[in-house]
Amino acid sequence: MAIPSRAATGCDNVPMTALFAGLTTLDVLHRLDHVPDPSLKVTSTDFTMAAGGPATNAAVTYAALCAASRVLSDPEDEAGAVSGAPADSEETPILLTALGEGPVSAFLAADLAAVGVRVVDATAPASSPEASTTSETSATRTVTDASGQEVTLPSHPSRVVTLSEPMTDNALALGVTPIGVVSGRGQQTVANYLVDRAGDIPILGSIGTPNLEAIGAAHPDLILVDGTSVKNNDTETLNALSQIAPVFFTTQKGGDWRETFTLTADALGVADQAEAKLAEFDQHVASVSARLKDAGYLDQTYSVVRWQGDSAGLILKELPAGQALTALGMKRPANQDRNGEGHSEPVSLENIDQIDADWIFFGTLGKASVNNPSAGGNTGVEASAAALEEAKTTVGFDSLGAVQANHVIPVDGSLWTSTGGYLLMDGIISSIEAQFVPAS
């Protein structure tokens, strides 16, 4: 139903205002490459989702016609015709409908806002300010992600899916529990260091290989990704994800963890929390570093090793554990005092002495490596202790100075030798604190 009115009766040039009332549905449109046989099943080549329903379609059409009419009268206003958004608020069509709450509602609200339709949600409480405009759960905002794209997001995402360890880590650190995550490298669950916080969050794929069907069934209202979430940043997979919910890039591979944390908080609608959490982290680092200095530990050298099956890999300064050591002022051996290629650097058994230092933090991800992140294996401290005993059977390992001095410390490989966000960085600091200068 549409009820047009004029601001001044009888004046032909006054913009019209139209009210449309009716149900809003979620239309799923499948694309085929041929006319289907009515007796056979076919697989679509692509699909798209949009707000639908008779009144909704009429409101969308009205908005598009308003934009087209402006172009006819002003050819320079082609941008308005493309977006469909009326330039004058008096022209903006109003859709009275029932959206309610949830990820589908948020998607519908964002879709209608993008084409220039203002929604009045009949399910909003009458006493709330949103009842006269839009419900809070349907409100959206635009945030620029790490790829430079402007993404329309729910103001308060409530059904978030995270497709990498850092995204899961940062969401949990900010008090947001995702409805779905991917497993940690070399694990069947979330990263081992996050298990206690994550609880039984459903696993919706693995690093680089998200399960599109499972993600769609979860009905998210926001999908957080980074440069490792989809193998080779496959465009087809990313497009499929964007049909399910807004996809927000928080960082490209190897991005600064603090910037990633801040941008993730912005996407989640809790930007103010990021500044406070980072201040807490800096205070923690300063406190531990001062105590390490007083105890003489900053005069010694430290190596971080990932044992991969039967060989070693060095964690250098650009990786999270390396950044944590640098922040604390802990020195690296001369051959390790540099950045690597963004992943652990393999060390041949003939050069096993290259992993030596005054102290070695020793972790494992089972058989997982940069080329095979899904390989099985345990990652906890016990698994690292067992891997250390195996490593001692390797020729030359027992001759290392740290081994001779009993200065090899088994650590959680998922924390020390993989990737993560705020909780991982703070966890490494806490691990060092507990080992060397526990708080009294």
Side-chain angles (χ1 to χ4, degrees):
M1 176 179 68
I3 308 174
S5 64
R6 292 183 182 274
T9 304
C11 179
D12 292 337
N13 296 320
V14 174
M16 295 179 64
T17 301
L19 170 65
F20 299 83
L23 294 177
T24 299
T25 61
L26 176 64
D27 287 354
V28 181
L29 310 175
H30 289 272
R31 183 176 294 116
L32 303 177
D33 56 9
H34 63 279
V35 177
D37 187 314
S39 63
L40 297 176
K41 293 183 177 180
V42 295
T43 301
S44 62
T45 59
D46 198 2
F47 74 95
T48 188
M49 297 189 294
T56 300
N57 289 338
V60 172
T61 302
Y62 182 94
L65 290 173
C66 285
S69 68
R70 292 200 309 277
V71 173
L72 291 175
S73 60
D74 181 6
E76 295 182 0
D77 192 20
E78 292 183 3
V82 172
S83 67
D88 193 320
S89 61
E90 292 183 353
E91 287 184 0
T92 305
I94 301 170
L95 175 62
L96 175 60
T97 188
L99 288 185
E101 300 183 1
V104 174
S105 301
F107 172 84
L108 293 173
D111 188 53
L112 291 169
V115 297
V117 175
R118 197 178 105 198
V119 174
V120 175
D121 189 355
T123 65
S127 60
S128 70
E130 293 82 3
S132 61
T133 53
T134 59
S135 68
E136 182 179 356
T137 57
S138 299
T140 60
R141 59 203 168 88
T142 300
V143 182
T144 302
D145 71 8
S147 70
Q149 296 294 314
E150 291 188 346
V151 185
T152 300
L153 305 174
S155 292
H156 302 283
S158 60
R159 298 184 62 80
V160 180
V161 164
T162 56
L163 298 186
S164 77
E165 296 122 314
M167 301 307 92
T168 303
D169 176 315
N170 286 335
L172 291 170
L174 292 163
V176 175
T177 301
I179 62 166
V181 301
V182 290
S183 57
R185 294 160 203 266
Q187 299 155 81
Q188 301 301 313
T189 64
V190 296
N192 187 69
Y193 77 94
L194 293 175
V195 167
D196 290 341
R197 284 179 178 265
D200 57 355
I201 299 175
I203 302 298
L204 306 181
S206 57
I207 295 297
T209 312
N211 185 327
L212 296 178
E213 183 177 354
I215 293 170
H219 303 298
D221 59 6
L222 173 61
I223 300 173
L224 294 177
V225 301
D226 64 14
T228 69
S229 297
V230 176
K231 286 182 178 178
N232 302 317
N233 286 332
D234 178 57
T235 302
E236 184 176 347
T237 300
L238 290 171
N239 286 341
L241 287 170
S242 68
Q243 294 293 327
I244 298 171
V247 174
F248 190 89
F249 262 96
T250 59
T251 183
Q252 299 298 338
K253 188 174 181 180
D256 180 86
W257 76 268
R258 299 173 75 101
E259 293 179 2
T260 301
F261 183 63
T262 300
L263 191 55
T264 301
D266 198 3
L268 294 173
V270 291
D272 56 329
Q273 292 188 33
E275 185 176 353
K277 295 291 290 185
L278 289 173
E280 289 178 13
F281 174 81
D282 290 340
Q283 291 175 1
H284 189 195
V285 169
S287 172
V288 175
S289 179
R291 283 179 279 145
L292 287 171
K293 181 179 180 180
D294 291 344
Y297 286 111
L298 297 189
D299 297 326
Q300 302 183 50
T301 60
Y302 302 85
S303 179
V304 184
V305 173
R306 178 201 287 174
W307 195 258
Q308 302 169 187
D310 58 357
S311 62
L314 279 174
I315 305 298
L316 296 174
K317 296 180 72 174
E318 86 286 0
L319 294 174
Q323 293 180 46
L325 293 181
T326 298
L328 290 168
M330 301 174 78
K331 298 178 182 177
R332 307 300 296 269
N335 68 300
Q336 299 178 32
D337 193 20
R338 57 186 172 86
N339 289 336
E341 300 297 326
H343 52 77
S344 61
E345 184 172 293
V347 177
S348 66
L349 296 181
E350 292 80 5
N351 295 312
I352 196 68
D353 62 309
Q354 295 299 300
I355 72 171
D356 203 6
D358 292 322
W359 295 84
I360 296 177
F361 297 104
F362 187 95
T364 184
L365 289 180
K367 297 184 182 298
S369 66
V370 65
N371 295 319
N372 189 17
S374 300
N378 296 320
T379 70
V381 175
E382 291 184 0
S384 295
L388 175 58
E389 293 306 310
E390 294 180 7
K392 288 179 179 179
T393 65
T394 301
V395 175
F397 192 90
D398 264 346
S399 299
L400 298 176
V403 176
Q404 293 288 318
N406 198 28
H407 283 180
V408 182
I409 305 167
V411 294
D412 185 337
S414 72
L415 183 73
W416 276 83
T417 72
S418 188
T419 186
Y422 179 94
L423 294 175
L424 178 140
M425 293 298 295
D426 197 56
I428 294 173
I429 302 300
S430 295
S431 177
I432 293 170
E433 179 181 25
Q435 176 66 40
F436 297 115
V437 287
S440 56

